Amino acid sequence: DRPRPEGDHEALLLDATLEATDIVIVSPLYWYSVSATVKRYLDYWDAWLETPEIEFKETLKGRTLWGVTALAHREEEVAEPLIGTLNHTAAFFPMRFGGVLLGNGTRPGQVLDDTEALARAKTFFAQEPPLARFPYDKA
């Protein structure tokens, strides 16, 4: 078992995560998946599973995970590893998964030129997301 973190950045992240009804992971598409910072945050999730007093898995069960990313490709299929990482993370708990809002841009602010992404953003969080499933789960 692992003790509950106290008085540091990890403790702040833990408290914010436990209090959230929805968790939005925002990451650039970095080598076809999430950034190292996001990966580190998800590594904390693994550690928090070993802290019995917080009941991390039970607490996150049924909450919603969303993703937002910018990519430098018109072919959105290149984001599938990032989408898979977030979907599978949600499926483990199990949480709802709202999908990933994709926008195209390589420089700060450039995503604002992606009119299709801006249109999708207007209703992205309004949907009722389904429970996440692993690809091998039967409906």
Side-chain angles (χ1 to χ4, degrees):
D1 291 349
R2 185 175 187 270
R4 190 182 205 289
E6 293 184 21
D8 61 6
H9 294 290
E10 182 184 353
L12 180 65
L13 281 171
L14 172 60
D15 291 342
T17 303
L18 293 173
E19 292 174 18
T21 58
D22 292 60
I23 298 168
V24 181
I25 301 289
V26 179
S27 174
L29 183 67
Y30 187 78
W31 283 103
Y32 309 103
S33 192
V34 295
S35 68
T37 305
V38 170
K39 179 65 174 86
R40 178 69 177 129
Y41 174 57
L42 295 177
D43 285 343
Y44 281 136
W45 286 30
D46 184 58
W48 298 336
L49 288 168
E50 298 175 12
T51 308
E53 69 192 73
I54 60 176
E55 299 179 338
F56 191 68
K57 187 170 184 177
E58 187 61 31
T59 300
L60 263 57
K61 183 179 179 180
R63 296 190 182 178
T64 304
L65 182 65
W66 307 84
V68 176
T69 193
L71 59 150
H73 292 270
R74 290 287 171 201
E75 300 80 13
E76 294 181 348
E77 296 85 355
V78 299
E80 287 178 8
L82 180 146
I83 296 166
T85 294
L86 297 181
N87 176 78
H88 298 352
T89 298
F92 174 79
F93 282 89
M95 299 171 72
R96 297 185 172 284
F97 182 55
V100 177
L101 178 61
L102 303 172
N104 191 281
T106 56
R107 301 280 182 258
Q110 193 175 32
V111 74
L112 297 173
D113 296 331
D114 185 342
T115 56
E116 291 177 16
L118 293 177
R120 287 190 304 266
K122 290 180 181 180
T123 59
F124 182 69
F125 293 108
Q127 64 177 312
E128 181 62 35
L131 195 62
R133 295 183 179 279
F134 289 107
Y136 53 78
D137 285 340
K138 296 188 183 199

